[in-house]
Amino acid sequence: RPHVSAPRHAGTVVRSEAPSPREGGGGSAGRRTGATGGLSASARALPLPIICLLALLLTPPLLAASPTAILDEPTTLTARRATTWDADDARWLLLEHAVRIDVGAHGFRARQALVRVTDTGPGVRQLAIYLDEPEPVGDAPIRAVADRLLLTAASAGPLELRTDLRRDGPAVDDPFVTAGRERIAAFDRRRAQFEDDALPDRGRTLEGLTGVEDLDEPFPEPPDELEPVAPPTEPGGVLPARGSLAFHARRVVRDRRDDEQIIMLIGDVRLLYEAGPARSVSIQAERAVLYRDADQPDQPDEPDVPEAAVAGIPAAGVRGVYLEDNVIVSDGQFTVRAPRMYYDIAGDRAVLLEAVLYTFDVERRIPLYLRAAMVRQTSRTTFQARDAIFTTSAFAQPHVAIGARRATMTQIEHPAGGMDQRFTASHMTLRAGGVPVFYWPYAAMETGDSPLVNWGVSYSDRRGLEVLTTWDLFALVGRETPDNVDLHGRLDYRGDHGPAVGVNLDYDLGETFGRARAYLLPHDRGTDFLPQRNDIDRDGDVRGYARFQHRQPIQELWQLSVEGSYVSDETFLEEFQPTQAIEARPYETSLHLLRRDNELAADLLLVGHLNDFQPQLTTYQAPGYDVSRIPEIGIFQTGTSLVDDRLTWFSESRLSRVRARFGRDAPEDRGFGQGAALAILGIDADTTFDDAAAAAGFPRDWRSRLDTRHELNAPLTVGPVNVTPYLTGRFTGYGERFRDFHDDDEQFRLWAGAGTRVSTTFSRTFDRLDNRVLDLHRLRHSLEPRIDVLYADSTIDPAALPVFDSVVEGIDEGLILRLGLLNTLSTQRGGPGRWRSVDWLSLETDLIIRERGRDDDAFLPRFHPHRPEFSRGGSHFFARARWRVSESLGLVGEATHSLERDRLDAWGLNASLRHTPRLTSFVSYRTIDVLDSELLTYGASYQLTTRYRVSASHRWDLSANESRIVRIDLERRLPQFRVRLTAAVDQIEDERIIGIVFIPEGFADLVAGPIPLVQSSN
């Protein structure tokens, strides 16, 4: 039950709910916040049924606390409407509309509030104020927020109600009133239990001690289980055993016994241990007892009077300290709160009841709280807890936490500097809203680590319930995580597909780094739902994939890269790892040895494949096969200067033994029916791709190939114009001819080309231009014309060669000309003292002229300025425009027009608008003529409150006049993590999906990858 903080007023000492490491904070309910009074509050989450995880989004954290100090300041309740009634020996008020609560120096606004006023003595009233959607007023630095807050205070000042409409009547039958009364009743029960708790065997009373005959309070003894040992000689124990101890209290009482001296401090106790520059410890409490050695002499400044006093004594003579009532201990690294503590300084140990330990991870910028029924501090840096809870939330009952029957926290110092905390826990449970959802017998971790890295749940009417979790394996087995190494395990339930397990390994050891991924479904009886294809049923199949990548240096100039990959079947990645199927680099099993020395590089490459099919959609779609290389030897010369930098030479040569692999699978293995296979692939559904390649004459055996390319550049500057003429040539030879593939059975190819690159820049600035309507302040116009021309010829028709590599056999011949122009209008925005340059409008246009291109019918032509011979498609015109209309509105559009077909092949337009700081929207339109595809996508995102954000998007197929997919996301920000609820309707796959995912903050470096809520392949 942490404190709500506020500025210091009239001697009131206040504390932060989630303080910084220097401030300390986080702890049990405070009985007192200052010398003259205070206001306290705390937070906890409502119980969460495990069968309804979605309730976590809407579960309000509730706050409560326990004050005993009396505020002698006015309390003002303001609302447009107030309803009052008497019940349970108290006055109740329901405040609605424009509610504001001012209690002393503390102020809150709320949507509504329930107030209970109870007279507890002459002129003193107890206030319990339950707020709905509270917001602090003023400069109080509250660091944690909640949907509902319970404030409690004892006040001797005037109470004033300001309202436009006051109604007297019976108790209001309202859900908010019911929830508030239940919360206040729970607080009363908790406070009663708190006041009844005590240390066992507190011992004899203080009767007979000077000045305290009227107190009639028990006098504490050290707990029996703490046996005294030899006192430590260094200031590194639970409390410093040497140095000085200064203390302040309203009343100081002394007693001397045969074997000890006793100093009792009463009221507003402050203690400060100073053990030199190495360490100091500050302590606050309402009451304290110091146990001193009997032979310690009284100091001249040790008063024995019942008034407030400040005194100092040597710390070496104090062998024990007992503290009670809102105890706060801090040494700059740890801050501990507890109702009662006993420090056995001689034995270098301590007992803390109902304790809260707070520390802060500076590197990851996340707080950490340990709450426990009992904490034993066995050294300065080691704490042992029973019935403990670890969390990053300041709430007393956090939304998500790690519970343990027994736990140990130890502070460790890194060799490179900095501090961290290591935790071990036995009988560990993961708790959501106080409900255990996972059990593990033993775990160990460091600050920022969590056994559960991330998790998500989704439900689809086709795939069923899916639960995806990622776990830190080092933490689960109780091993310390090596630096720069992450080892995560996957434990999932994939609906009808059944359970699945996986392992993710990432390591970065300087110049040596790599990753490994493995995923297994041991018994798959589900169905693969493939977009616009037939579904594929599984009958207890064992399915999965594995991939390993590693790179390390060898000596100074050498580098080794190793990769291996295997996939069980054709559609596994498409169904379970869609990003790997679409975006990952090609799967292969390879070894690459590279030597690089300045401009010269040489390598050895071995590439094979463990699968006899294409596991990825990108390779399957183009070129439709993979190529093995055993081996391939290459030599590369990059940018070698010749003739006093007048010429630059580039070369690359490869000697390879290659083979194309088409796969022994057939279209039906990927869900294609007979009609679709013939229309799209041109083969029968049951014909293997390998047989189709053989029928087309494509060589499927091993072929030897020598390829060498050379380019000579001569960069020139002619005034403001940069001119770079170049010559390029290429020789490619094969061990055998391709008689079955093409009539032209030449074995050698000579390819040569000559070209020029020309570019320049013109600019003009209009300093006097200032237009508020267009948001322009000054204007700079830059004009960059570009010309690229290449003419190439070959001894073999490019279509006569089977393409083993697009950069070798895929190059084209003939004339390639690019006439380009880039217009950029730049302006300044931001205002005086904050001016910055932005590109207001840019327009890029390219006219591409092709002659004798072998792929003039390519429906999406593209030009490659680096290597024009790699360009695809015939003559065309390309344009792209970017317009930053204002700081909140941006437009982007592009279009490709084919001159060969006199048709607009593709064009699109995107717009993004920030209406207010809370509301943004977007719209995107794109059409591809040859695919008869015309898609409109639009959506918006709105920040509902500081904790809630909602976003929605919709994609409409205009060509088919039907909806494609609708998606809605509701995100709630909780302490140290976010919860996102997703609902989607996918008309392409006829699927409805709902999911929830937890996104930790401060753990970004630990997350092995996002948990996909919507498994979609389109």
Side-chain angles (χ1 to χ4, degrees):
R1 289 170 288 277
H3 286 271
V4 173
S5 62
R8 187 184 297 267
H9 292 282
T12 300
V13 180
V14 293
R15 286 178 288 277
S16 170
E17 185 169 342
S20 67
R22 297 182 61 88
E23 295 171 329
S28 62
R31 294 291 191 94
R32 180 178 180 80
T33 60
T36 62
L39 181 71
S40 54
S42 66
R44 71 176 185 177
L46 292 174
L48 175 67
I50 188 172
I51 60 174
C52 189
L53 293 173
L54 305 182
L56 185 59
L57 284 167
L58 307 175
T59 302
L62 306 180
L63 302 172
S66 164
T68 57
I70 299 175
L71 285 167
D72 191 15
E73 300 181 46
T75 300
T76 304
L77 311 177
T78 305
R80 292 182 181 175
R81 184 172 65 191
T83 303
T84 64
W85 70 95
D86 295 324
D88 303 327
D89 299 326
R91 188 69 169 172
W92 294 82
L93 300 91
L94 174 62
L95 309 179
E96 301 173 284
H97 307 297
V99 175
R100 172 161 178 164
I101 307 294
D102 293 284
V103 183
H106 304 268
F108 290 89
R109 291 191 182 95
R111 191 171 66 89
Q112 55 184 339
L114 178 66
V115 182
R116 185 189 69 177
V117 183
T118 307
D119 292 332
T120 58
V124 178
R125 60 179 62 89
Q126 178 75 39
L127 301 176
I129 306 171
Y130 188 61
L131 303 174
D132 186 18
E133 298 184 7
E135 294 184 3
V137 178
D139 57 354
I142 293 181
R143 301 176 184 243
V145 294
D147 289 339
R148 291 183 176 177
L149 180 75
L150 176 61
L151 304 177
T152 59
S155 175
L159 174 64
E160 181 181 4
L161 173 63
R162 300 176 181 176
T163 181
D164 298 332
L165 175 63
R166 175 177 174 177
R167 301 182 301 183
D168 295 323
V172 178
D173 185 13
D174 181 86
F176 172 71
V177 173
T178 302
R181 297 191 64 167
E182 292 176 353
R183 184 66 191 92
I184 294 173
F187 164 76
D188 290 339
R189 293 191 298 270
R190 177 62 179 163
R191 181 174 58 178
Q193 178 184 1
F194 178 87
E195 294 174 347
D196 291 340
D197 290 340
L199 270 175
D201 191 19
R202 293 186 64 179
R204 55 189 183 278
T205 66
L206 293 178
E207 183 178 357
L209 292 181
T210 305
V212 293
E213 293 84 356
D214 57 334
L215 295 181
D216 193 24
E217 294 191 8
F219 184 78
E221 287 280 4
D224 295 336
E225 60 269 22
L226 295 180
E227 299 178 359
V229 297
T233 58
E234 298 296 327
V238 293
L239 287 179
R242 67 178 187 178
S244 62
L245 170 60
F247 58 84
H248 165 274
R250 293 183 179 180
R251 176 175 294 180
V252 180
V253 181
R254 286 180 171 74
D255 186 29
R256 181 178 292 273
R257 304 294 171 84
D258 294 337
D259 58 345
E260 63 184 354
Q261 299 179 36
I262 298 172
I263 302 176
M264 184 170 184
L265 311 176
I266 305 171
D268 194 19
V269 177
R270 302 288 189 272
L271 296 95
L272 179 62
Y273 274 90
E274 292 284 355
R279 190 185 183 202
S280 63
V281 181
S282 64
I283 303 176
Q284 302 177 35
E286 278 300 300
R287 290 179 292 277
V289 180
L290 308 180
Y291 301 91
R292 302 181 65 195
D293 293 335
D295 57 355
Q296 291 292 317
D298 293 336
Q299 301 298 311
D301 57 349
E302 294 185 26
D304 192 6
V305 293
E307 287 82 17
V310 177
I313 59 175
V318 179
R319 65 184 188 184
V321 178
Y322 173 76
L323 307 148
E324 70 177 10
D325 203 347
N326 193 29
V327 185
I328 304 174
V329 181
S330 179
D331 66 353
Q333 296 291 338
F334 294 105
T335 297
V336 184
R337 291 176 181 258
R340 289 169 299 284
M341 300 183 187
Y342 180 76
Y343 281 92
D344 179 9
I345 303 175
D348 194 22
R349 65 192 74 184
V351 172
L352 305 85
L353 298 185
E354 297 186 33
V356 177
L357 176 64
Y358 168 83
T359 187
F360 191 84
D361 186 338
V362 179
E363 180 180 355
R364 295 185 177 94
R365 301 186 61 82
I366 57 174
L368 182 75
Y369 295 88
L370 184 152
R371 305 172 184 271
M374 174 180 287
V375 175
R376 297 179 183 273
Q377 186 177 0
T378 58
S379 71
R380 175 189 174 185
T381 59
T382 303
F383 297 83
Q384 297 177 350
R386 186 182 67 196
D387 298 331
I389 293 178
F390 296 103
T391 179
T392 57
S393 171
F395 297 155
Q397 291 189 6
H399 301 84
V400 175
I402 298 173
R405 186 178 302 174
R406 296 188 180 276
T408 299
M409 183 172 74
T410 303
Q411 188 180 53
I412 55 178
E413 183 173 358
H414 295 296
M419 306 296 292
D420 207 343
Q421 285 75 39
R422 179 167 177 79
F423 309 92
T424 60
S426 62
H427 300 286
M428 184 198 73
T429 57
L430 180 70
R431 303 182 181 185
V435 178
V437 296
F438 179 80
Y439 170 82
W440 193 257
Y442 179 79
M445 67 209 82
E446 294 185 5
T447 305
D449 295 342
S450 171
L452 180 58
V453 176
N454 57 25
W455 64 290
V457 179
S458 65
Y459 178 80
S460 164
D461 57 353
R462 300 186 71 178
R463 292 180 172 87
L465 177 67
E466 292 188 309
V467 181
L468 311 180
T469 64
T470 304
W471 301 86
D472 188 331
L473 296 183
F474 283 117
L476 290 180
V477 299
R479 295 294 184 89
E480 183 176 352
T481 303
D483 294 338
N484 302 315
V485 177
D486 291 327
L487 180 61
H488 297 147
R490 296 284 303 273
L491 181 61
D492 301 338
Y493 179 75
R494 307 306 298 256
D496 295 339
H497 294 282
V501 295
V503 175
N504 296 342
L505 170 66
D506 294 89
Y507 56 92
D508 187 350
L509 309 177
E511 296 182 351
T512 299
F513 56 91
R515 62 168 49 188
R517 298 288 185 270
Y519 198 68
L520 175 67
L521 281 82
H523 191 74
D524 188 348
R525 300 187 64 87
T527 301
D528 291 353
F529 298 102
L530 307 173
Q532 299 180 340
R533 284 174 279 159
N534 298 330
D535 300 336
I536 299 179
D537 296 326
R538 303 294 175 177
D539 187 15
D541 301 338
V542 178
R543 308 178 69 194
Y545 88 111
R547 192 179 193 190
F548 171 71
Q549 297 168 294
H550 172 81
R551 178 174 295 174
Q552 72 174 62
I554 301 177
Q555 297 181 349
E556 182 178 356
L557 302 177
W558 292 87
Q559 176 181 283
L560 176 66
S561 300
V562 180
E563 180 174 344
S565 61
Y566 174 79
V567 182
S568 61
D569 56 80
E570 296 83 354
T571 59
F572 178 86
L573 292 181
E574 189 176 356
E575 178 72 8
F576 298 102
Q577 304 288 337
T579 56
Q580 292 290 307
I582 299 172
E583 301 175 6
R585 65 184 302 270
Y587 273 36
E588 60 186 30
T589 299
S590 63
L591 182 147
H592 185 204
L593 186 62
L594 172 66
R595 187 185 190 276
R596 182 183 290 111
D597 185 8
N598 296 325
E599 300 96 356
L600 181 64
D603 71 350
L604 170 65
L605 179 62
L606 305 174
V607 178
H609 300 84
L610 300 180
N611 295 111
D612 57 359
F613 55 85
Q614 314 307 316
Q616 296 170 283
L617 292 179
T618 48
T619 307
Y620 171 70
Q621 294 170 354
Y625 53 90
D626 54 45
V627 178
S628 299
R629 314 167 196 276
I630 303 179
E632 181 173 276
I633 303 172
I635 300 177
F636 309 92
Q637 194 79 26
T638 58
T640 302
S641 177
L642 303 174
V643 194
D644 297 331
D645 294 337
R646 292 186 178 90
L647 299 176
T648 306
W649 175 45
F650 300 85
S651 73
E652 55 186 63
S653 301
R654 299 179 179 87
L655 177 61
S656 314
R657 186 162 177 79
V658 296
R659 185 182 70 168
R661 302 174 72 257
F662 287 83
R664 300 183 181 279
D665 58 320
E668 62 184 5
D669 297 324
R670 298 177 180 269
F672 285 96
Q674 178 67 15
L678 289 174
I680 299 175
L681 303 174
I683 62 176
D684 293 330
D686 58 353
T687 300
T688 68
F689 295 100
D690 193 64
D691 292 341
F698 199 103
R700 294 171 296 118
D701 54 348
W702 287 97
R703 296 297 174 100
S704 298
R705 182 186 67 185
L706 172 64
D707 178 73
T708 179
R709 180 189 185 275
H710 301 268
E711 179 178 321
L712 197 63
N713 293 346
L716 305 173
T717 300
V718 183
V721 181
N722 299 317
V723 181
T724 306
Y726 62 94
L727 296 173
T728 180
R730 191 163 207 148
F731 168 80
T732 308
Y734 299 91
E736 298 180 21
R737 292 179 172 86
F738 306 105
R739 292 187 176 91
D740 296 337
F741 182 74
H742 197 272
D743 294 338
D744 190 347
D745 61 350
E746 291 292 334
Q747 195 171 348
F748 306 101
R749 179 191 68 176
L750 290 175
W751 180 95
T756 301
R757 302 182 182 94
V758 182
S759 65
T760 188
T761 302
F762 305 97
S763 65
R764 183 180 179 183
T765 303
F766 304 89
D767 291 324
R768 296 184 179 180
L769 181 63
D770 195 345
N771 189 306
R772 293 187 178 181
V773 176
L774 298 177
D775 198 6
L776 296 176
H777 176 74
R778 304 179 67 196
L779 192 68
R780 182 176 184 269
H781 181 202
S782 298
L783 188 65
E784 301 178 41
R786 298 170 295 191
I787 300 175
D788 288 87
V789 59
L790 171 68
Y791 182 82
D793 204 353
S794 174
T795 60
I796 298 180
D797 182 359
L801 294 177
V803 179
F804 295 102
D805 290 286
S806 61
V807 298
V808 177
E809 290 86 8
I811 59 176
D812 213 338
E813 58 183 17
L815 175 67
I816 306 175
L817 173 65
R818 194 256 308 247
L819 302 176
L821 186 63
L822 176 61
N823 283 274
T824 305
L825 296 175
S826 303
T827 188
Q828 289 185 320
R829 287 177 176 167
R834 298 180 290 110
W835 292 116
R836 68 186 189 282
S837 296
V838 298
D839 290 341
W840 178 61
L841 176 64
S842 66
L843 176 62
E844 178 183 6
T845 56
D846 286 327
L847 175 62
I848 312 299
I849 305 297
R850 295 287 305 275
E851 182 215 3
R852 293 167 52 192
R854 70 172 180 176
D855 55 354
D856 292 345
D857 58 345
F859 59 85
L860 284 179
R862 282 293 181 264
F863 176 77
H864 295 268
H866 174 62
R867 295 277 184 89
E869 64 266 30
F870 293 167
S871 300
R872 292 290 176 265
S875 300
H876 64 279
F877 178 79
F878 173 79
R880 178 187 290 120
R882 297 182 177 91
W883 184 15
R884 193 168 183 174
V885 183
S886 66
E887 292 293 273
S888 58
L889 176 61
L891 302 175
V892 177
E894 68 175 42
T896 301
H897 181 85
S898 173
L899 302 180
E900 306 285 346
R901 295 177 291 273
D902 192 21
R903 182 180 66 190
L904 192 63
D905 283 340
W907 71 279
L909 178 66
N910 301 282
S912 176
L913 176 61
R914 185 174 184 177
H915 305 267
T916 69
R918 289 189 172 189
L919 176 62
T920 60
S921 63
F922 75 93
V923 61
S924 174
Y925 173 83
R926 186 166 181 83
T927 177
I928 301 177
D929 184 79
V930 71
L931 298 179
D932 194 23
S933 173
E934 190 176 7
L935 299 177
L936 176 66
T937 306
Y938 56 92
S941 175
Y942 183 69
Q943 187 78 39
L944 296 171
T945 67
T946 56
R947 294 178 291 278
Y948 285 94
R949 173 183 290 274
V950 62
S951 58
S953 63
H954 181 208
R955 178 173 295 172
W956 186 270
D957 189 340
L958 297 176
S959 59
N961 194 27
E962 64 180 10
S963 175
R964 293 283 296 269
I965 186 169
V966 180
R967 175 168 178 156
I968 300 177
D969 294 300
L970 176 62
E971 182 177 294
R972 178 179 177 181
R973 183 177 296 276
L974 296 168
Q976 304 306 321
F977 67 93
R978 291 172 291 150
V979 184
R980 183 180 299 158
L981 172 66
T982 296
V985 177
D986 190 344
Q987 298 290 353
I988 298 298
E989 298 191 8
D990 191 22
E991 188 174 16
R992 286 117 186 110
I993 305 167
I994 187 169
I996 184 171
V997 65
F998 286 74
I999 308 170
E1001 295 184 4
F1003 297 96
D1005 57 332
L1006 300 176
V1007 178
I1011 296 179
L1013 293 180
V1014 181
Q1015 300 286 353
S1016 178
S1017 304
N1018 51 313

